[in-house]
Amino acid sequence: WTVKYFRLPGNVTMQNAAGWKTLFASKPRLVATQSRLADRWLNKHPWGGRWAFTATTKYDFRPGRYKFTTASDDGVRVFVDGRKIIDNWTHHGTEYNAANIDLKGVHTLTVHYCQDGGGSAFSIEWQPVRK
């Protein structure tokens, strides 16, 4: 995963779509390469309780149907080749979201995550759906 971390300015709220677009197009505070995209920060992040990331990777899928599952506290969006498959862009405690999608070959996966105060957690996984 290529992960871009951003500190949230005070004017970017969960409902401010234009603010998010501008933020994610701006220069990130940190860019990291991570083999895994899961963690529980519990307000220990160096930027405090309001920050976000975008993460992108490519993955080669065997032909089939896949179930993507996220756990997030707070907002999460998951895209496959730019198509949004999970959208829970709200302030909430840890919640699980899932979506099924048919895939084969190499696809670009993108995740948007927002931490909007309080505890924080994020994970994503996918697995083939058994028939």
Side-chain angles (χ1 to χ4, degrees):
W1 294 94
T2 299
V3 187
K4 297 177 181 179
Y5 290 92
F6 302 86
R7 184 173 187 170
L8 292 183
N11 65 339
V12 176
T13 63
M14 299 303 283
Q15 298 78 27
N16 182 350
W20 287 105
K21 185 175 181 179
T22 299
L23 179 68
F24 287 156
S26 71
K27 183 179 177 181
R29 289 283 184 113
L30 173 70
V31 178
T33 301
Q34 298 174 205
S35 61
R36 175 178 173 233
L37 195 58
D39 212 334
R40 188 165 195 79
W41 296 273
L42 299 174
N43 253 351
K44 294 178 185 171
H45 198 278
W47 304 319
R50 296 195 77 240
W51 54 276
F53 70 67
T54 63
T56 304
T57 194
K58 289 188 181 290
Y59 192 83
D60 191 359
F61 292 88
R62 290 188 164 153
R65 187 160 190 80
Y66 289 82
K67 180 178 184 179
F68 282 74
T69 305
T70 61
S72 67
D73 174 353
D74 293 301
V76 62
R77 291 183 177 137
V78 177
F79 304 82
V80 177
D81 298 327
R83 177 180 160 212
K84 192 183 314 176
I85 63 168
I86 292 176
D87 187 2
N88 187 0
W89 203 250
T90 62
H91 181 89
H92 56 264
T94 302
E95 292 182 3
Y96 296 87
N97 295 275
N100 291 338
I101 185 172
D102 294 317
L103 297 169
K104 68 177 178 178
V106 177
H107 292 274
T108 300
L109 309 177
T110 303
V111 172
H112 294 176
Y113 170 79
C114 167
Q115 170 50 28
D116 192 29
S120 56
F122 179 79
S123 68
I124 184 170
E125 62 181 40
W126 55 88
Q127 59 191 8
V129 174
R130 305 286 181 217
K131 295 181 180 181

